[in-house]
Amino acid sequence: MIAAHPDDENTAILAYYARGRHMRTGYLSLTRGEGGQNLIGSEQGDLLGLIRSHELLAARQIDGAEQFFTRAIDFGFSKTPEETFAKWGRERILSDVVWIIRRYRPDIVILRFSGTPRDGHGQHQVSAILGKEAFSAAADPSRFPEQLKYVEPWKARRLFFNAFSFTKETEKEAAATPGRIEVDTGAFNPVLGVSYSQIAGMSRSMHRSQGMGASQRPGPSHQYLIPIAGEIPPKDAQDAFAGIDTTWNRVAGGAPVAHLLEEAVRTFQPDHPERSIPLLLKAEPLIASIHDPWAIQKLVELHEAIALCSGLWLDANSEKYDAVPGTTVDVAYTALNRSSFPLSLNTLTLEGMGRHDSIDGKHAALTSNLPLNDHLKFTVPADQPYSQPFWLREPRQGDTYAIADQQLIGLPDDPPALSLRFSLQAEGVAFDLVRPVRHRYIDRVHGEETRALTVVPPVALNLPQDVILFPNGEPRRVELEVRADVPKAAGEVHLALDAGWIADPTTRSFDQSQEGQQQPLSFEVRPSPGPDPPGVLRSTASIGGRQVGVGMLVISHPPLPPLTVFPPAVAKLVRADVRVTARRIGYVMGAGDEMPDAIRQLGCEVVLLTASDLEQRNLSEFDAIVTGVRAYNTRADLRADLPRLLDYVRNGGTLIDQYNVTDDNLVPMGPYPFKVGRGRVTVEEAPVTFTNLSNPLISKPNEITSKDFDGWIQERGLYFASEWDSHYQTVIESHDPGEKPLAGGMLYTRYGKGVYVFTGYSWFRELPAGVPGAYRIFANLLSAK
Ligand SMILES: [Zn+2]
């Protein structure tokens, strides 16, 4: 199945084929969903893409499918495929789709979109345009011949279109299309105890960062697959695979394997699964002798089936989750045969980190339910790179990731840093099982958890912000945290700044006696005197002859595993001529954003307002109160205390509401009625027209010009107001090419002695990105009187 984003997939169809039909099933999402809004935290961009990659993996654990991605980055809403192709490079992403098809070798490919403007989002259209193109290009050896070093051309048999059925009409239309295949995802699976649509509801609810919690809906559900290329299914076919041999007969030498495995299935005894092992062992050498990628896949599955039938528990547990290059890691391993079937362990091999170390001489019989435990030591190579997700290792190329190793393209996540290969023997047949080295630990609340072995630097340099703003030409104190991941970390941190910018001092030393300790180091940074473009600050730690130029960030959103990234210890230095008269700001955090830190960079004090603050605190101490993105969608306390906020405005306060989406929770905002619509301006360079030059939002204390709309990222704004009361003044207008001007992105009104502002412009993106003009405009909003 091919589409553009996390959440485009039809999880019911994935569950039907994977869990119901036992087909190998995969979802290729062109992007990792970096451009969306985050409902569970403040992470955006790369970090949001990382979270969504793992949300998809969690969803696939439930529906049973596999996950793939191309190098394309979701750069935000796009209204056309042309814009999307211009940002991604058509051939580059086509080559990825072809590569994934050639490696995965599907019999049928299902598109979620039509490749026409009917799909809406340009990235949706592109997923279908490239899906169709790749369907034939994958079979053509003259296309992307450089891939043929690793894979063979692959001709999938059928291409289908599975339309979204938003309405009963579209469902009827699909049902009436000649040649369509109906998939009954409402069918109940008595072994699983649920229907595929129910599984889909559970799987879809893993998309937490986009608030896709879904009901499980038992009962009928019909999906339609419409053939669009390749072989047409036989007349009156009820199945997308009709006429496609999905048995062992499709590979030379497969027939005797089929015979043995059918017998194994027929004679399987659920309370004595080990009695099936002899048949599996007979099939093993037959499968091993078939030279076909499919047989290689099946051989691994057969080995895992033997492990399942014997209740075999194999584990490789590192004493800590983090490992520093040059240090030694202790790995405890266990082999436990929980059946009466005779198995023995021959050798162990550590794999990964450029190593292939055999630990020989075990040759131990695995006695029923008696664990074989031991330890081994492993030294992490001194030049081992840190465990940065592979798509984030190199600077991105425009709106695609740079990935040097072709073999990594398409993978959802990094292969384990280190694995332990257990070479076993049963009745004279040797076979291997590979387990990742993981750290197993007990969480007092959640119980036993595991975490991937992660290679980390000896010290991490964490900068306070990615962007450091100098709002008035004055020097600023920059405080850097040095966090040690080794005992006794001592060394120096050095700052290197672009010409014109000055740090004092440029070097400071650190000395930490304990692992996990953090030490702040303070520097004064003086901005470049001229009106230069932004500068860059690079920090490097020298420790034991090693140079470290990265920080370390652990993202925790249970039930996802903790996700570790190593952001470069680099900050953008932005000089902006900003005046702000507001001093003390109250902030009502909504779904999560980085605005409070951004506002602090203007020199304001920011207090995060709690539920009890909204209910009881004297709000008049604040010069302005700002509500975070989606605050009215997510906070019942804010909705309940709206009258207090309006009183605050009436008595002379300034209230700024940022964007919220129209949903059941959205109450009327502001002192006079207005409606939030779906209007958005997706082109970040879209011209902005000043329609109300005397309005304080664009005149005081900073005089705003069109230059302040230069250098914006991703978009202008979203969820603009669509209708408003005549008490509101509009201030600026903007619109995407070829569309009507949208004036509802900023509404201003005086109310009593105060000011109310609604704004759909994307301050939550532009301020953290260090766009100087965005700071100047937002300073006016805060200062509005
Ligand atoms: Zn989408």
Side-chain angles (χ1 to χ4, degrees), residues 151-328:
V151 289
E152 286 168 29
W154 179 254
K155 190 168 169 37
R157 301 275 291 272
R158 291 181 185 136
L159 183 66
F160 290 99
F161 166 47
N162 165 230
F164 277 95
S165 299
F166 287 123
T167 61
K168 281 266 170 282
E169 282 69 50
T170 50
E171 193 176 313
K172 264 193 208 145
E173 189 188 314
T177 309
R180 94 282 182 286
I181 301 283
E182 182 181 330
V183 181
D184 180 8
T185 57
F188 178 68
N189 183 319
V191 176
L192 302 173
V194 284
S195 74
Y196 307 108
S197 296
Q198 281 183 279
I199 298 175
M202 300 173 209
S203 161
R204 215 160 170 73
S205 300
M206 289 293 114
H207 294 314
R208 294 187 182 197
S209 68
Q210 37 193 343
M212 280 287 156
S215 72
Q216 294 188 13
R217 280 189 313 195
S221 177
H222 303 278
Q223 314 279 341
Y224 297 97
L225 303 178
I226 296 162
I228 50 174
E231 296 165 21
I232 300 300
K235 203 171 168 335
D236 300 326
Q238 299 299 310
D239 178 19
F241 286 90
I244 298 176
D245 188 355
T246 58
T247 73
W248 277 97
N249 290 327
R250 70 189 284 160
V251 290
V257 176
H259 196 73
L260 288 166
L261 296 184
E262 275 156 24
E263 194 185 337
V265 170
R266 203 175 54 244
T267 58
F268 180 74
Q269 293 171 258
D271 50 353
H272 280 291
E274 76 284 358
R275 290 181 188 160
S276 300
I277 297 176
L279 282 167
L280 301 181
L281 292 173
K282 260 194 214 169
E284 209 276 353
L286 299 181
I287 301 175
S289 67
I290 300 172
H291 297 289
D292 183 276
W294 193 65
I296 293 169
Q297 176 83 21
K298 288 287 148 192
L299 190 61
V300 174
E301 291 174 14
L302 185 96
H303 294 159
E304 294 296 342
I306 295 171
L308 287 171
C309 286
S310 58
L312 182 61
W313 165 261
L314 300 175
D315 187 49
N317 179 15
S318 57
E319 62 181 328
K320 313 189 298 171
Y321 86 88
D322 49 348
V324 173
T327 63
T328 300

Side-chain angles (χ1 to χ4, degrees), residues 415-435:
L418 192 65
S419 300
L420 188 58
R421 177 179 290 272
F422 295 79
S423 298
L424 299 135
Q425 191 155 327
E427 291 188 336
V429 177
F431 62 98
D432 289 359
L433 291 162
V434 181
R435 296 291 177 261

